[in-house]
Amino acid sequence: MKLIQGLVPLVTLGLASPLSFIHEGYIQPLLSQLISTKNLDYSINESDYKYSSSHGLSQATINELFKLHKLLVSSESVSGHEYEVGHKLTAYLLSKGLTVDHQIVDTKGRFNILAYKGSVNETEVLLTSHIDTVPPYFPYSVSEDGTKIYGRGATDAKASVASQVIAFLEILDSLEDGQVSLLFDVGEESGGDGFRYVANEIEYRWDSIIYGEPTENKLGVGHKGIYHGTVEVLGLSAHSGYPELGVDANKILVDFLSILGKQSFPSNDLLGKSFLNYGLIKGGVAGNVVSPTAEAIIAFRVPQDLGAYPKIIDSAIAKTPGGEHIRFTEGKIPIEPVLFEYDIPGFDSIVLGYGTDASALVDSPPKHSILYGPGSIHVAHGAGEFVSTDDLIEAVDGYKRLVQFSLKR
Ligand SMILES: *[C@@H]1O[C@H](CO)[C@@H](O)[C@H](O)[C@H]1NC(C)=O
Ligand SMILES: *[C@@H]1O[C@H](CO)[C@@H](O)[C@H](O)[C@H]1NC(C)=O
């Protein structure tokens, strides 16, 4: 077991005597100290918020939802900077009487948060989302008419985190130990190291995982995988007046890309066609020189059958004049397509063009995977990211129903 030395984040929270060691995975004794932190200020002015339906939630619960969401969105947490929001959320969950474990995912001490009732850390159902965001940070604000909440992460994915926590607290009294837990991970927006920790270090597999990402409160049908790589052509330079003395790398690359684009690629009814993107092309040295080198970075969005793509690329190379000068190098970590369960009574479904943490578990999936969350992906990474108050409230009801559905089977 690795020990992590030093605990800077506690110092930033103003605790008097931070302990100097924490055990990887378990820092429960330390966490109780966090409840007393003064930094857990998340007051709101109720009259700033307007919504059209309470979805059966009490006024107090709705206020608590807005407060928690504000607490999360007010903390900058661009991927890699998740300490502050991680500690605030930990303190919040502890203050509600939950048990909290930290999964330390890297040597800098970045951590995922696992929270549950009582002492059973392995549960039937897992509600999960991420606490990091894309850059740049911009602060929390509520629209003039009170129906929209702006801020980086307001939708992606702090709206999911807040509504999952409140849904969990709403049904807490009726839950037995070992039924439901919460997992909030780091790094989802930049490489997914938080959830990869779960895939690699946690042996246990939940019966059902409910992933929180912006789906407009519909059930995500699935998402395409990614297959990518670099095409390099090594030619031979020559004077452009004597092309027969050289090997034109640019021409070979252009021919290859054109032939590749005409191949047929896997497709299916649920996730649609493969998309091929020629993301970056470069080559040559000057207008009057036969180009000695050329390179392209290509990426496929893959609806099924990741294994088909290397074969298609090989056959396109074989069909290209001068193909023996081409070398293809597969990019790191191709991503399998993922299908979710989307036929659940009372919910609409939606096909999505983005990836999620679920990709990390394709080799050891849970029995059931569901993708659902408030807000729209269309605003998620933009400069005007927001979630509507109506979406946020509806998601609490949605998560409650999804948990209950999952526990009953
Ligand atoms: C809350 O907002 C209302 C309306 O904007 C304002 O009149 C009131 O003073 C605010 N209350 C507090 C405590 O800030
Ligand atoms: C639960 O705790 C055990 C014992 O420390 C650990 O091995 C296991 O990985 C934990 N499971 C989860 C889901 O964190």
Side-chain angles (χ1 to χ4, degrees):
M1 177 184 295
K2 196 170 58 189
L3 289 170
I4 310 285
Q5 257 191 347
L7 201 59
V8 182
L10 284 181
V11 177
T12 64
L13 281 171
L15 294 180
S17 56
L19 306 186
S20 51
F21 294 98
I22 53 173
H23 285 278
E24 187 169 14
Y26 283 90
I27 61 168
Q28 189 65 29
L30 267 185
L31 295 177
S32 55
Q33 298 182 36
L34 285 165
I35 298 178
S36 61
T37 174
K38 294 193 185 80
N39 287 24
L40 202 55
D41 175 20
Y42 52 98
S43 59
I44 58 161
N45 184 342
E46 271 184 58
S47 58
D48 289 345
Y49 301 84
K50 301 276 182 296
Y51 48 87
S52 49
S53 165
S54 68
H55 288 274
L57 302 182
S58 70
Q59 183 66 51
T61 300
I62 291 174
N63 288 345
E64 189 65 18
L65 172 66
F66 291 144
K67 282 183 191 173
L68 173 59
H69 183 248
K70 181 179 180 185
L71 174 77
L72 299 172
V73 178
S74 303
S75 308
E76 185 258 301
S77 63
V78 172
S79 308
H81 296 219
E82 301 95 346
Y83 289 116
E84 184 189 330
V85 80
H87 278 115
K88 286 184 176 171
L89 182 55
T90 299
Y92 181 88
L93 296 167
L94 287 168
S95 76
K96 300 296 173 189
L98 302 182
T99 309
V100 179
D101 298 336
H102 282 183
Q103 301 168 344
I104 312 290
V105 309
D106 69 9
T107 52
K108 295 185 195 117
R110 289 167 59 241
F111 57 86
N112 299 337
I113 296 169
L114 182 72
Y116 46 93
K117 186 178 182 180
S119 58
V120 184
N121 68 342
E122 302 190 333
T123 58
E124 291 169 48
V125 178
L126 180 73
L127 281 166
T128 183
S129 188
H130 60 93
I131 53 174
D132 66 315
T133 71
V134 294
Y137 175 71
F138 72 99
Y140 181 94
S141 68
V142 183
S143 66
E144 196 88 346
D145 69 0
T147 64
K148 289 177 182 168
I149 304 171
Y150 288 89
R152 175 59 72 221
T155 278
D156 190 3
K158 292 171 177 177
S160 291
V161 176
S163 47
Q164 288 182 338
V165 171
I166 299 299
F168 181 78
L169 294 175
E170 279 276 287
I171 56 174
L172 191 60
D173 288 344
S174 68
L175 291 178
E176 288 163 28
D177 288 17
Q179 284 194 310
V180 184
S181 52
L182 299 164
L183 175 72
F184 300 119
D185 63 82
V186 295
E188 194 275 341
E189 299 286 8
S190 79
D193 57 355
F195 213 75
R196 257 206 321 282
Y197 176 97
V198 176
N200 299 336
E201 308 294 330
I202 305 286
E203 256 175 64
Y204 181 74
R205 284 297 169 262
W206 302 262
D207 288 343
S208 303
I209 300 185
I210 302 169
Y211 295 92
E213 289 279 359
T215 66
E216 303 170 16
N217 289 337
K218 296 171 185 165
L219 296 178
V221 166
H223 52 75
K224 289 177 182 168
I226 297 177
Y227 183 82
H228 62 128
T230 305
V231 186
E232 287 166 294
V233 187
L234 196 59
L236 182 64
S237 61
H239 191 289
S240 58
Y242 301 87
E244 70 281 6
L245 297 180
V247 176
D248 188 344
N250 279 354
K251 180 166 190 324
I252 294 171
L253 181 66
V254 168
D255 287 347
F256 167 73
L257 294 178
S258 154
I259 290 167
L260 182 64
K262 290 183 191 122
Q263 307 302 302
S264 72
F265 301 107
S267 67
N268 65 35
D269 290 345
L270 277 181
L271 299 183
K273 292 182 181 168
S274 300
F275 293 142
L276 166 57
N277 186 46
Y278 306 114
L280 187 148
I281 297 178
K282 60 185 181 190
V285 289
N288 59 355
V289 178
V290 172
S291 66
T293 57
E295 185 180 312
I297 297 180
I298 58 173
F300 294 91
R301 296 275 163 174
V302 175
Q304 63 177 39
D305 198 6
L306 208 50
Y309 294 81
K311 290 179 200 139
I312 294 170
I313 289 168
D314 280 348
S315 100
I317 291 174
K319 288 177 196 159
T320 304
E324 68 276 17
H325 299 282
I326 299 175
R327 193 176 66 187
F328 178 74
T329 312
E330 200 171 88
K332 274 191 201 143
I333 323 178
I335 300 172
E336 293 276 358
V338 174
L339 292 176
F340 296 99
E341 183 173 358
Y342 61 91
D343 196 7
I344 297 176
F347 291 91
D348 291 334
S349 65
I350 183 171
V351 176
L352 299 159
Y354 60 84
T356 69
D357 278 333
S359 303
L361 294 188
V362 284
D363 293 332
S364 57
K367 281 186 213 136
H368 308 279
S369 301
I370 295 171
L371 178 64
Y372 171 92
S376 164
I377 196 65
H378 297 301
V379 301
H381 290 186
E385 176 169 356
F386 72 89
V387 66
S388 73
T389 52
D390 281 331
D391 253 28
L392 198 55
I393 294 167
E394 184 187 336
V396 175
D397 177 57
Y399 283 123
K400 275 163 68 176
R401 286 190 288 133
L402 289 171
V403 168
Q404 275 146 2
F405 174 85
S406 301
L407 284 174
K408 275 197 202 107
R409 57 178 159 205

